[in-house]
Amino acid sequence: MTVVKEMLKERVRRVQVHDHVQKRTARAGFGGLSIQRTPLGTHVRISAERPGLVIGRKGSDIQRLTEELERKFGYENLQVEAGEVNNFALNPLIMAAKVANALERGWNYRRAGNSMLQRIMDAGARGCQITIAGKLTGLRHRTEKFLSGHIKFCGETALELMDVGIAQAKLKPGTIGVKVAIMKPDARLPDEIEVAKPEIPVAEEVKEEETEEVKEEESSKEKPKAKESKGEEKKEEGEKK
């Protein structure tokens, strides 16, 4: 198997692990996971709004999840740990799940979109876009977007500065898709520049130092001349006497 095929196989496995863990930890507020390969094995860290529900009583749930991942995806020496999300309002996966949950509980899509949008912007996000698509009011499919702040839609800037989360709400008319895109609070756009203060060139500083040294030498030379002139005057007075 070539290196490219191995990389593709590993990427596919990571996506499958992400989907499996997201389904298992939906009640805990799944906020993403990171997979790291170490010499001792594979380390998986799960971020959740309520990590206690992921761990379970005396670690039973997280132990069961570890065994499932080892059996289903072929990991060896797998270590799984759960951590709390610092600010869940800035996590697109958690907020998308909250919008989907609100729709399933009977909220109007405008109320759900506007309330979550305001909550995200109050948390300090630079921009947010919530997209709700599906059979919202009738039998026809429609898409509604809720925007606030600064948003990037494409390009490298969108890939680096925008975090995207997707969720589904299952209702009687059909499935409604929810997509939340959040621009990070510390995001720095390419057109945001700072003008540096002008610095004094080194050459001018050297010239100033040289002029000061020359002045000191000239003043030191003038002082002995004055003393010599005083001594000559005294000699002339003695000769006259």
Side-chain angles (χ1 to χ4, degrees):
M1 185 179 292
T2 61
V3 178
V4 177
K5 288 184 178 180
E6 289 180 359
M7 292 176 63
L8 291 174
K9 185 178 179 181
E10 180 62 25
R11 290 291 181 89
V12 171
R13 184 167 68 165
R14 291 194 176 200
V15 172
Q16 292 174 348
V17 170
H18 184 278
D19 294 341
H20 180 77
V21 174
Q22 185 175 8
K23 291 177 182 177
R24 287 293 311 274
T25 60
R27 289 176 55 252
F30 177 77
L33 62 81
S34 62
I35 302 174
Q36 295 179 351
R37 298 179 66 180
T38 62
L40 300 177
T42 305
H43 184 80
V44 177
R45 177 178 174 80
I46 302 171
S47 300
E49 184 182 0
R50 297 181 295 275
L53 297 178
V54 180
I55 298 171
R57 189 171 184 179
K58 297 182 180 180
S60 59
D61 292 346
I62 199 169
Q63 182 64 29
R64 193 180 304 112
L65 180 62
T66 304
E67 293 174 357
E68 286 181 5
L69 295 177
E70 288 179 345
R71 184 178 63 257
K72 191 173 182 179
F73 300 102
Y75 284 111
E76 295 181 358
N77 298 327
L78 185 64
Q79 297 178 356
V80 181
E81 67 174 9
E84 186 177 2
V85 179
N86 294 329
N87 192 351
F88 68 89
L90 296 177
N91 190 298
L93 289 171
I94 295 177
M95 298 311 293
K98 286 184 177 296
V99 175
N101 189 23
L103 294 174
E104 290 177 348
R105 285 187 284 119
W107 283 31
N108 184 271
Y109 69 94
R110 288 194 182 91
R111 179 188 174 192
N114 287 320
S115 62
M116 294 302 172
L117 181 69
Q118 187 63 38
R119 190 172 183 179
I120 292 170
M121 295 304 295
D122 291 342
R126 291 200 61 178
C128 178
Q129 177 184 3
I130 298 177
T131 306
I132 303 175
K135 296 179 180 179
L136 301 178
T137 54
L139 297 177
R140 284 183 174 271
H141 176 281
R142 54 185 296 193
T143 302
E144 292 289 338
K145 294 182 179 180
F146 305 89
L147 297 169
S148 181
H150 198 99
I151 297 294
K152 289 293 182 183
F153 296 96
C154 61
E156 185 179 359
T157 310
L159 294 175
E160 292 182 353
L161 304 182
M162 301 295 294
D163 294 332
V164 181
I166 298 173
Q168 294 83 30
K170 297 179 181 180
L171 305 177
K172 287 183 179 180
T175 301
I176 295 178
V178 179
K179 180 180 177 182
V180 177
I182 300 174
M183 180 174 280
K184 305 173 185 177
D186 56 348
R188 185 174 180 180
L189 301 175
D191 58 345
E192 294 178 352
I193 59 174
E194 295 180 0
V195 179
K197 295 182 180 179
E199 297 181 356
I200 301 173
V202 180
E204 293 183 1
E205 294 180 356
V206 173
K207 287 182 181 179
E208 291 179 358
E209 292 178 357
E210 289 179 354
T211 52
E212 290 178 358
E213 291 178 357
V214 171
K215 288 180 181 179
E216 290 178 358
E217 290 178 357
E218 290 178 355
S219 61
S220 61
K221 289 179 181 179
E222 290 176 357
K223 288 180 181 179
K225 285 183 180 179
K227 291 179 181 178
E228 289 176 0
S229 60
K230 288 181 181 180
E232 289 175 357
E233 290 177 358
K234 288 181 181 180
K235 285 182 181 180
E236 289 177 359
E237 289 177 359
E239 289 175 357
K240 288 178 181 180
K241 290 179 180 179

